[in-house]
Amino acid sequence: MCGISGMISNSALTRADIAGVGRMNALLEHRGPDSEGMFDDTNVMLAMRRLSIIDLAGGRQPLFNETGDIVIICNGEIYNHDALREELRALGHRFSCLSDVETIIHAYEEYGVDCLAKLRGMFAFALWDKRNQTLLLARDRMGEKPLYLHRGDAGRIWFSSEIRSISSVMPKPLKLTPEAFNMFLTFQYVPEPLTPLQGLELLPAGHYLLLKPGALDKAPQSYWDLSDVREDAGKPVAVTEEILDNACRLMGTADVPVAVALSGGIDSSLVAALTARHFPGQLHAFTIGYKGRPETDERGFAETLAKDLGIGFTEVELDTDQVIDGFPALVEVMDTPVGDIAAFGYYSVAKASREAGYPVLMSGMGGDEFFWGYEWVREAMLRNETLLAGKKVKLPWWKRLMGQKPPEKADFFGVHPDLRNGDAWSRKLMPEKALDHLPEGYWLKEAALDVSGPLHLAISNLLNRTWLRSNCLALFDRMSMAHSVEGRLPLLDVELVDRVTGMRNSGLVDWHKPHKWLLVEALHDALPADVLSRKKQGFTPPVRDWMHGIVTHFLPLVENGALVRQGLIEPEKSRDLSAYGLPFLYKLVLLECWTRLHIEGKPVGELSRKAA
């Protein structure tokens, strides 16, 4: 795991170019505190900060092929590197170390861009092929690792793992776009492929970009299409069990200690149970609790399971005052604005993991998204199946009592009043000049449900691009890397996603089954029955207390604040915000603080002082 940055230019690098890449790299030290490396050629410069996880002594980057004319920097892990290395050795390739990243170089030599199909892991990398004068930028299929791009003036493209890094070489002043303002206050995140800043791009997940000096106007190309995959659906439970067990074995492998973020729910519990099978006595669990132990506190369940599995256990308690006081620092490390209150839990468990000497942290993230764990997603599947079959949707009595009307066309997000309110309220705050950039219904158009293919794929793809990738994965990456911790997600293993989707494409209809049916059936021998039958709770802190405390403390910053200076809120409308709901105000406060920190460059301490 690392932070990477660099650039490619139509002309020879200048001192300013080299200094710019150095500046970007220095701002990624938290992602890679163990070492740094740089490489430059006539038109290209690569830089990285390394967090040592595999081959601690021999895996320093940049890494090269045997002849030194292909060089790579990579953020992430290739979990199947052992098998891939043996395959490539049999084809005559010679390796200089045991780093997982070196397998990418030789796979590229052997297969070209098609090497991407060989990689089972999470990654964002830059590979310079000197012979062909080609820079290959690529991002993993699920989008676990980010890669931002800025197409600068005078024929230059800059890239980096984080906004705070790449924004250091972008023209000033930085501008938060009206589209990002609207989308964030609607969704609580900026859904890919949008980014917060004008002039900033994000390489889409499952895409690559091939660039040459003199040919920098290329568009990203997709290398992954789930609509094409097929898998025999005859034994879905056995297939899922086998893949998950192997995924936990692969992701539990490291040359440093490994921990797991453990709640009392199914997803993290099964990751802990399967990984502990392969690494007895080595795994350690960290869990979050809340002061006063409210009903939502899951420490008791997690501790009992940890004892049953024979793994170490550490609890981290959060209280409201701590959350409020730490809010500016949290927003600073967030890098991209995400209004999910779960950020505090991710941040705190990663901090505890690192302080205890565990730089790898496994998580059950992805189970709800991929195995129909959210009731609102299951409901969307059934609702849209009904509509696409030409039938009318029947609403529950309580929705009819509230005056809701049944939808008449396929949709995913549009039925949710909180999102509609977020769109309407953000527009209400904006000046006319900013609204000129924002057509009516923009948020729905950008997050529309494409039903030209199978419905299960349409909903999965949209959920992945929005909620999973732009909220959950972005947050987990930034919160873990803020403490130099590598997060690993077995439930988003690419082989699992490919083959389960292949079974659905071949007729498996698991969304009609009970809650998380496939996951529960596949792991029924790995976990106690009471864990498998527990009602979904997830990360459930005292949300209202936290939000109310943060909004009360920091809302005064919005009046004539950074969002007003960005031209995104009318000055007079910033003075009275009493008409808006608490979740909306929390998003507004977070975006105000994010803008001050990441666009205006204000120090964290200034936010706390001004809000006091």
Side-chain angles (χ1 to χ4, degrees), residues 173-177 180-181 184-185 196-197 327-328 331-332 334-338 557-558 561-569 587-603 607:
L174 299 172
K175 292 291 293 181
L176 179 67
T177 69
F181 178 83
F184 177 79
L185 292 176
L197 299 180
F327 182 68
V331 177
E332 182 185 39
M334 195 172 281
D335 192 57
T336 187
V338 180
L557 294 175
V558 177
L563 294 173
V564 171
R565 292 189 288 273
Q566 287 281 312
L568 296 170
I569 296 181
K587 291 184 288 187
L588 189 65
V589 163
L590 190 148
L591 192 59
E592 172 69 30
C593 291
W594 185 89
T595 303
R596 287 173 180 250
L597 292 167
H598 291 274
I599 292 182
E600 296 186 341
K602 305 294 185 186
L607 267 66

Side-chain angles (χ1 to χ4, degrees), residues 431-451:
E432 286 297 325
K433 185 177 179 180
L435 284 171
D436 289 343
H437 297 271
L438 203 63
E440 284 294 331
Y442 175 80
W443 72 282
L444 275 177
K445 178 177 177 293
E446 289 297 311
L449 186 66
D450 179 6
V451 293

Side-chain angles (χ1 to χ4, degrees), residues 249-464:
R249 177 184 64 82
L250 291 172
M251 295 191 200
T253 301
D255 294 334
V256 294
V258 177
V260 60
L262 182 64
S263 69
I266 294 173
D267 301 339
S268 63
S269 297
L270 75 86
V271 169
L274 291 180
T275 308
R277 276 183 183 177
H278 294 287
F279 306 94
Q282 299 179 47
L283 195 64
H284 193 94
F286 291 85
T287 195
I288 294 293
Y290 313 110
K291 189 175 182 180
R293 288 186 177 262
E295 289 185 5
T296 56
D297 195 310
E298 295 189 310
R299 277 178 286 183
F301 296 107
E303 185 174 11
T304 298
L305 180 62
K307 288 180 179 178
D308 290 344
L309 297 175
I311 62 179
F313 180 78
T314 298
E315 62 181 61
V316 180
E317 184 173 273
L318 301 179
D319 67 67
T320 301
D321 289 342
Q322 174 188 358
V323 166
I324 295 169
D325 292 343
F327 182 68
L330 182 88
V331 177
E332 182 185 39
V333 302
M334 195 172 281
D335 192 57
T336 187
V338 180
D340 191 338
I341 202 76
F344 293 96
Y346 295 144
Y347 181 84
S348 300
V349 79
K351 181 175 185 287
S353 181
R354 183 71 194 193
E355 289 176 348
Y358 293 87
V360 173
L361 184 67
M362 300 176 72
S363 166
M365 183 179 289
D368 287 318
E369 289 77 11
F370 192 57
F371 290 98
W372 312 109
Y374 294 124
E375 196 55 42
W376 61 278
V377 178
R378 291 165 61 86
E379 191 273 334
M381 275 296 302
L382 300 177
R383 180 182 74 244
N384 286 301
E385 277 184 326
T386 301
L387 287 169
L388 293 173
K391 301 176 183 178
K392 291 186 177 180
V393 173
K394 295 181 180 178
L395 291 179
W397 66 269
W398 56 272
K399 287 189 176 182
R400 296 197 301 271
L401 191 65
M402 293 172 63
Q404 289 190 31
K405 295 182 180 180
E408 297 180 352
K409 62 180 182 178
D411 183 30
F412 187 65
F413 286 118
V415 300
H416 296 284
D418 288 347
L419 300 182
R420 290 190 173 277
N421 285 341
D423 172 58
W425 290 347
S426 69
R427 289 174 177 274
K428 189 175 179 181
L429 292 172
M430 295 172 74
E432 286 297 325
K433 185 177 179 180
L435 284 171
D436 289 343
H437 297 271
L438 203 63
E440 284 294 331
Y442 175 80
W443 72 282
L444 275 177
K445 178 177 177 293
E446 289 297 311
L449 186 66
D450 179 6
V451 293
S452 59
L455 181 62
H456 74 87
L457 264 184
I459 285 183
S460 290
N461 288 341
L462 183 56
L463 185 68
N464 288 350

Side-chain angles (χ1 to χ4, degrees), residues 113-117 119 121-125 136-147 192-193 202-210 219-226 228 461 464-465 469 473 492 494 497-498:
V113 171
D114 291 341
C115 72
L116 295 168
L119 306 180
M122 55 176 181
F123 55 84
F125 70 76
L136 170 62
L137 303 176
R139 189 174 175 211
D140 68 73
R141 300 162 182 83
M142 296 305 294
E144 293 181 58
K145 296 293 109 183
L147 191 60
E192 295 191 15
L202 183 61
L203 184 64
H207 282 65
Y208 67 89
L209 187 59
L210 278 176
Q221 302 294 313
S222 173
Y223 66 88
W224 191 48
D225 185 355
L226 282 172
D228 294 335
N461 288 341
N464 288 350
R465 179 174 68 81
R469 194 172 301 149
L473 295 182
L492 294 180
V494 67
V497 173
D498 272 342

